[in-house]
Amino acid sequence: MANGKVLRQLIKAGASGDSEAFRRVSESIIEGERQKQHHLLANDLEQILYGEHLQPSKSQGPLIDNTPVDSERGFSLVDLKTPQRALEEIILPESVIHTIEELLEEHRRSDTLRSFGLKASNKVMFYGPPGCGKTLTAEVIAYELNSPLAVVRLDALVSSFLGETAANLRKVFDFIAEHQLVVLFDEFDAIGKERSDSGEHGELRRVVNSVLQMIDAYQGKSLILAATNHEQILDTAIWRRFDEIIEIPLPNETQLSQLLQLKLRGVRRQFELDDKDLISKLKDRSGADIERIVRRATKRMILRSQEFITIKDLDNAIAREKRR
């Protein structure tokens, strides 16, 4: 990140309308990020500086309206959403962030890869405990790639009629192959469960076979993301169908502190974010848990007309979370 001197120069140039000085200082910041090996950030800053970068909210246009539907009940099989949250909105291990940045760079520079006979990874599996950011990460990837997020509705996909689930899957894969989307198959274990499980009937085995065949044959425009909280029950053949396998674990102490900082932005407080007692109370909590705890504590502060949020507010919110 740029130091104070450079930031002062940048703001001074911008405030005075000196476009040449603004450009020079901006270029020095970009070069500094490249020297730190922050190539993805440097590329983004370069695009912003030279006017080639379009914000997703302005460039996406209307969402696609011809989404596939379930023949049995007429339910839409895919929910299309405009992603709102950027890469800065997720707190994950550095290795995971690095993998996501590499994935984003592959897709942003897919033409370069194709010129060498290669293609960007387009099938990625996320696994880890509930609430740790798998769905949020999918939204972030869609936002950063300036694509709609297509969430496959498993409640509509799985049908009670023999053979209809596989037919619904075919509709979904045909749809996502035609359009350029980031597609999330959440709770993927519902259609990818181990076929050797003696407790499962033949129809589920046929569904898993269909999933494997469709993933193998997929050559479409969309990036497929699958997410599961129960990786141990997935069919062993599922794993090798994916280009990347990314574990999203519970946050460690450092990430808990970073989550608090992120969720308490703009909120005045009477404690340090790395307070050891506070962090110990949040141990083994997911990012979704932290968000709920902070939201409850903030509501308490507002409704009691407090100027600051306190440790006691958080303690009360943590106690309520334990009772859920």
Side-chain angles (χ1 to χ4, degrees):
M1 188 60 65
N3 61 33
K5 180 180 178 182
V6 174
L7 289 174
R8 289 188 190 95
Q9 291 174 342
L10 183 68
I11 292 172
K12 182 178 179 181
S16 64
D18 188 340
S19 58
E20 181 60 27
F22 186 86
R23 183 185 61 79
R24 284 199 308 270
V25 177
S26 299
E27 287 175 346
S28 73
I29 291 173
I30 293 168
E31 181 58 30
E33 295 304 320
R34 286 205 188 282
Q35 290 175 3
K36 298 172 189 173
Q37 304 299 308
H38 298 166
H39 298 298
L40 190 60
L41 174 59
N43 289 344
D44 284 347
L45 293 175
E46 230 168 26
Q47 289 176 329
I48 293 168
L49 178 63
Y50 298 120
E52 296 173 4
H53 185 77
L54 295 175
Q55 293 297 327
S57 60
K58 297 179 181 178
S59 62
Q60 280 183 352
L63 293 177
I64 304 155
D65 56 9
N66 60 332
T67 56
V69 297
D70 168 50
S71 301
E72 179 187 349
R73 294 157 294 182
F75 294 159
S76 176
L77 298 174
V78 176
D79 282 340
L80 290 176
K81 302 179 180 181
T82 300
Q84 302 293 333
R85 296 198 269 190
L87 194 58
E88 297 79 24
E89 295 291 319
I90 51 174
I91 304 297
L92 295 172
E94 188 175 337
S95 59
V96 175
I97 293 294
H98 181 67
T99 302
I100 292 169
E101 287 179 337
E102 285 187 342
L103 177 68
L104 293 173
E105 186 168 18
E106 284 186 23
H107 280 268
R108 285 169 175 159
R109 304 185 63 194
S110 57
D111 289 344
T112 301
L113 290 177
R114 277 196 294 270
S115 71
F116 286 88
L118 299 169
K119 61 179 183 179
S121 300
N122 68 347
K123 288 170 277 190
V124 180
M125 171 73 78
F126 298 136
Y127 73 95
C132 286
K134 298 182 289 295
T135 304
L136 174 57
T137 301
E139 180 181 356
V140 165
I141 289 172
Y143 181 94
E144 295 292 339
L145 291 180
N146 194 19
S147 294
L149 176 65
V151 181
V152 178
R153 292 187 55 190
L154 292 181
D155 61 330
L157 185 72
V158 178
S159 171
S160 60
F161 282 93
L162 189 66
E164 189 64 25
T165 299
N168 284 342
L169 270 169
R170 170 49 58 201
K171 292 176 185 177
V172 169
F173 272 88
D174 287 347
F175 174 74
I176 66 176
E178 181 182 352
H179 302 283
Q180 191 161 343
L181 307 163
V182 173
V183 183
L184 175 63
F185 286 83
D186 205 0
E187 300 180 9
F188 189 72
D189 43 277
I191 55 172
K193 196 172 181 183
E194 177 61 61
R195 288 168 293 177
S196 63
D197 187 339
S198 59
E200 296 301 339
H201 51 76
E203 172 65 4
L204 181 60
R205 295 191 186 99
R206 285 190 286 273
V207 169
V208 177
N209 287 334
S210 296
V211 170
L212 293 172
Q213 291 166 6
M214 291 178 200
I215 292 176
D216 273 340
Y218 180 73
Q219 297 292 330
K221 299 178 181 179
S222 296
L223 166 60
I224 294 176
L225 306 175
T228 179
N229 304 330
H230 305 288
E231 68 278 4
Q232 70 280 0
I233 67 172
L234 285 179
D235 193 279
T236 51
I238 291 284
W239 297 96
R240 59 180 178 269
R241 264 66 182 189
F242 287 86
D243 303 315
E244 295 282 354
I245 307 292
I246 302 175
E247 179 182 10
I248 300 186
L250 287 168
N252 60 26
E253 290 187 2
T254 300
Q255 289 150 17
L256 285 171
S257 179
Q258 292 170 341
L259 278 165
L260 285 174
Q261 183 174 19
L262 179 66
K263 302 304 179 185
L264 285 168
R265 283 181 304 189
V267 180
R268 302 181 72 185
R269 50 187 167 77
Q270 287 184 332
F271 54 87
E272 296 299 325
L273 294 173
D274 58 356
D275 181 282
K276 292 190 180 299
D277 289 338
L278 174 59
I279 296 299
S280 67
K281 294 171 186 175
L282 296 173
K283 188 179 179 183
D284 298 328
R285 293 284 176 186
S286 69
D289 294 337
I290 304 302
E291 186 166 359
R292 280 193 301 271
I293 287 167
V294 169
R295 190 185 304 119
R296 285 197 190 104
T298 304
K299 287 179 182 178
R300 179 187 176 93
M301 177 197 75
I302 293 169
L303 294 175
R304 295 191 172 198
S305 301
Q306 298 171 197
E307 188 176 356
F308 300 93
I309 194 169
T310 67
I311 287 285
K312 185 177 179 181
D313 295 326
L314 287 173
D315 283 343
N316 289 332
I318 291 168
R320 283 193 57 190
E321 185 67 21
K322 288 179 179 178
R323 294 195 296 267
R324 286 182 82 245

